[in-house]
Amino acid sequence: MVENPAPLRTSARRDLLVKTGFALALLILAGLGVQSYRSTEALIRHADQVAHSYQVIGTLDDVEIQMLECESGARGYVLSGEESVLIPYYDSMRRLGETIRNLESQATESPVDPRLMARLKTLVAEGLAFHQEKIKSRRTQGHEAASRLFLTGKGVRIMTSLRDVLNRMEQVETSLLERRYANARADATASLQALLVGTFLSFTILLLVYYSLEREIARRTRSEEVIHKFNEELESRIAARTAELTASNRELELRSLEIERANRLKSEFLTRMSHELRTPMNAIVGFSDLLAEETDGPLSHTHRRFVGHIREGARHLLALINDVLDLSKIEAGRVDLSPVEFRAPEAVSEVLPVIKPLAEVKKLDILSKVEMEVLVYADRTRFKQILYNLLSNAVKFTPEGGSVWIEARREGDRWSFTVGDTGVGIPPEEHVTIFEEFHQVGTTTKGVKEGTGLGLAITKRLVELHGGGIWLESAPGKGSRFTFTLPAA
């Protein structure tokens, strides 16, 4: 009896179909793995490029902000003639030089026109030279001679040209940023499409394999049933993995969009704060100071009181704007410390002349107990900012005839600085929340709430950036002691 070869050929074809189907499924999965790896690598590369573009744009904004700060410092010195007003001016000059160098290093990775960079450096140099000319004129020839320099319009022309160059450089970087976003979206879309097509093909092939195995199961032995169950398990795993990959890519795309929107909103906020609020407030402060000097004739008692209210309100708003910008820079990680070794008493002696006029109004004694051997390793400018915030708070909340002091003691490899006062004190339940943003404990000795509620929050962040800590010891009616630590030299 001759066996019919037709069933054997059918079984062989089905075996070949099963093997071919599995081979195709594995190839597709391997292709999906390679595509996912390349897509992830491309997204990481685009993210780095986008971050670099935002860094360049942020540095361009810093150039304009620091130039405005230099202009504000020079104007303040021309109006007041006090050397202490120039401390922020020289600090802004130093930071401006660092910012220009950072911009030059960043421009090596961006298509920035070298002529624009050269023009920018020229305008910055011209602007600083003009400010120095005003300062020198105020020192040697007096207020009127320095004020006449403002009427030449040279400073306005320099700042207008500087903004034009910065805008053109920012437009180039923004155009590059848009192209990078477009490339990232295109890569993500192509990856998603490949995943969808690969998933569909995988499912189709697996369904064909499953159908062939289902028809073969009636004639297969029990060992073939085990193979069939293994295929079903493999199918479910492939489907689950494909679903996970699809969900992960979708979540990554959504997060990229959220990051893009958050960065854009923050940049817009800082730009508006700098351009639309701080510049007008500087003008209000400057012109109100000019009115208060009564150079064009005496003011009536009522007008003098009105001008005083304008100056006080404008300075309060300007302090709030500056504090918000400082806090935003700290939170964004854009504050670069420049730690050096220095003697703490020398820095204290530079801060006390700024505080003493406020204390003399209330007949307060201010005493420094910091010895000359106190050497710290920190950012000198930020150290003075910390002291100024703590000392000005102590003066605000200390009644007339009281005292404010600062002392230091060694604690291992750190120095501990304490700013104490004989003021109204702070309840224990406020000792932690007092360092939060916009938090104000109570009224000052004048019976009103003063300040922005950001000084202590900024102080805490600056201390923590140095690796130190800050805490409070106080009770109602028993004064306050703010203590912070910094690394020893």
Side-chain angles (χ1 to χ4, degrees):
M1 182 177 180
V2 179
E3 186 177 356
N4 187 2
L8 294 177
R9 289 195 298 269
T10 302
S11 178
R13 284 196 299 269
R14 287 175 179 170
D15 289 341
L16 179 61
L17 178 61
V18 170
K19 294 177 181 178
T20 304
F22 274 113
L24 288 175
L26 290 175
L27 286 175
I28 291 173
L29 289 175
L32 290 177
V34 173
Q35 178 65 25
S36 298
Y37 173 79
R38 291 179 177 176
S39 176
T40 303
E41 189 178 37
L43 287 175
I44 292 174
R45 185 174 65 257
H46 290 314
D48 292 340
Q49 293 173 345
V50 169
H52 178 268
S53 294
Y54 275 118
Q55 187 179 18
V56 173
I57 293 174
T59 305
L60 291 173
D61 291 339
D62 287 344
V63 172
E64 183 173 0
I65 291 172
Q66 290 161 7
M67 279 296 293
L68 290 173
E69 289 175 349
C70 290
E71 181 181 358
S72 176
R75 181 184 292 111
Y77 176 75
V78 169
L79 294 176
S80 64
E82 297 182 5
E83 294 292 334
S84 61
V85 178
L86 292 177
I87 294 176
Y89 168 78
Y90 290 121
D91 179 55
S92 297
M93 283 183 61
R94 180 185 60 78
R95 289 188 289 111
L96 182 60
E98 295 176 356
T99 303
I100 293 296
R101 288 191 293 272
N102 290 338
L103 183 60
E104 288 181 315
S105 64
Q106 293 165 4
T108 59
E109 301 180 17
S110 298
V112 177
D113 190 346
R115 292 174 295 180
L116 288 178
M117 179 62 69
R119 178 59 176 164
L120 175 64
K121 293 172 65 178
T122 301
L123 290 173
V124 169
E126 290 179 359
L128 294 178
F130 183 62
H131 298 327
Q132 196 63 34
E133 181 183 357
K134 291 185 287 186
I135 294 172
K136 181 178 180 181
S137 177
R138 179 65 172 85
R139 284 175 178 162
T140 58
Q141 302 179 25
H143 176 268
E144 293 184 0
S147 298
R148 284 194 295 270
L149 292 176
F150 283 102
L151 302 179
T152 62
K154 182 178 179 180
V156 175
R157 291 193 297 272
I158 293 174
M159 283 304 301
T160 301
S161 300
L162 179 66
R163 288 193 180 100
D164 179 64
V165 172
L166 290 174
N167 288 336
R168 290 167 61 187
M169 296 176 71
E170 187 170 346
Q171 288 172 1
V172 173
E173 196 64 34
T174 301
S175 176
L176 179 62
L177 183 61
E178 291 174 353
R179 292 198 301 272
R180 287 172 174 173
Y181 274 129
N183 293 335
R185 292 193 187 97
D187 288 344
T189 302
S191 176
L192 183 60
Q193 291 174 350
L195 286 174
L196 292 175
V197 173
T199 302
F200 174 77
L201 291 176
S202 296
F203 271 107
T204 302
I205 293 172
L206 289 174
L207 286 175
L208 291 174
V209 172
Y210 179 79
Y211 176 75
S212 299
L213 290 174
E214 188 68 22
R215 293 189 59 185
E216 193 70 16
I217 202 169
R219 299 185 304 104
R220 292 279 183 175
T221 60
R222 193 165 183 83
S223 60
E224 291 174 334
E225 293 179 1
V226 174
I227 295 176
H228 175 67
K229 291 180 181 179
F230 173 76
N231 286 325
E232 289 183 337
E233 182 181 353
L234 180 60
E235 178 185 355
S236 63
R237 289 182 180 179
I238 292 173
R241 182 56 180 164
T242 303
E244 290 176 3
L245 289 174
T246 304
S248 298
N249 278 280
R250 179 58 180 167
E251 183 179 357
L252 181 61
E253 182 180 357
L254 292 176
R255 288 185 179 180
S256 297
L257 293 175
E258 290 175 359
I259 292 173
E260 174 189 352
R261 180 175 180 273
N263 286 333
R264 186 176 66 254
L265 291 176
K266 191 162 189 176
S267 298
E268 291 178 358
F269 169 75
L270 292 175
T271 301
R272 290 183 181 274
M273 287 287 286
S274 300
H275 296 279
E276 300 182 14
L277 292 179
R278 187 159 62 175
T279 301
M281 290 310 305
N282 280 325
I284 293 174
V285 171
F287 285 115
S288 61
D289 288 342
L290 288 175
L291 289 174
E293 292 179 3
E294 302 183 30
T295 56
D296 293 333
L299 300 175
S300 67
H301 175 73
T302 301
H303 289 162
R304 194 160 36 248
R305 181 165 54 88
F306 288 168
V307 171
H309 289 330
I310 293 172
R311 296 171 69 189
E312 182 178 356
R315 286 172 176 166
H316 177 77
L317 289 176
L318 185 59
L320 175 59
I321 294 169
N322 289 332
D323 286 347
V324 169
L325 289 173
D326 284 344
L327 188 61
S328 299
K329 288 183 178 180
I330 293 173
E331 289 179 346
R334 292 169 57 189
V335 174
D336 295 328
L337 298 181
S338 300
V340 295
E341 292 185 6
F342 63 91
R343 296 188 182 274
E346 296 176 356
V348 173
S349 64
E350 295 174 6
V351 176
L352 289 182
V354 184
I355 297 296
K356 283 184 178 179
L358 304 176
E360 291 174 354
V361 175
K362 302 174 70 174
K363 300 178 181 179
L364 303 179
D365 292 330
I366 296 185
L367 179 63
S368 173
K369 303 178 182 179
V370 183
E371 303 296 336
M372 287 302 295
E373 65 267 16
V374 180
L375 287 171
V376 297
Y377 183 72
D379 188 309
R380 185 185 180 97
T381 300
R382 297 302 181 182
F383 174 72
K384 292 192 293 183
Q385 184 178 357
I386 293 169
L387 288 182
Y388 177 80
N389 289 343
L390 295 177
L391 289 171
S392 61
N393 271 359
V395 171
K396 289 179 185 177
F397 291 94
T398 301
E400 291 189 5
S403 61
V404 177
W405 68 93
I406 176 173
E407 56 189 7
R409 63 180 180 274
R410 184 67 178 259
E411 295 181 356
D413 60 348
R414 295 181 175 276
W415 282 102
S416 173
F417 296 88
T418 299
V419 176
D421 61 64
T422 59
V424 296
I426 300 170
E429 61 271 14
E430 300 282 354
H431 286 190
V432 176
T433 57
I434 194 174
F435 294 103
E436 296 177 357
E437 293 85 351
F438 301 104
H439 182 83
Q440 294 177 308
V441 176
T443 59
T444 63
T445 56
K446 298 179 182 179
V448 298
K449 288 188 175 182
E450 294 182 1
T452 64
L454 291 175
L456 289 178
I458 294 174
T459 299
K460 182 175 183 293
R461 302 288 180 87
L462 292 176
V463 171
E464 290 174 347
L465 285 175
H466 286 85
I470 185 170
W471 62 90
L472 167 65
E473 302 173 54
S474 180
K478 297 183 179 180
S480 303
R481 290 170 57 88
F482 285 89
T483 303
F484 64 94
T485 60
L486 291 177

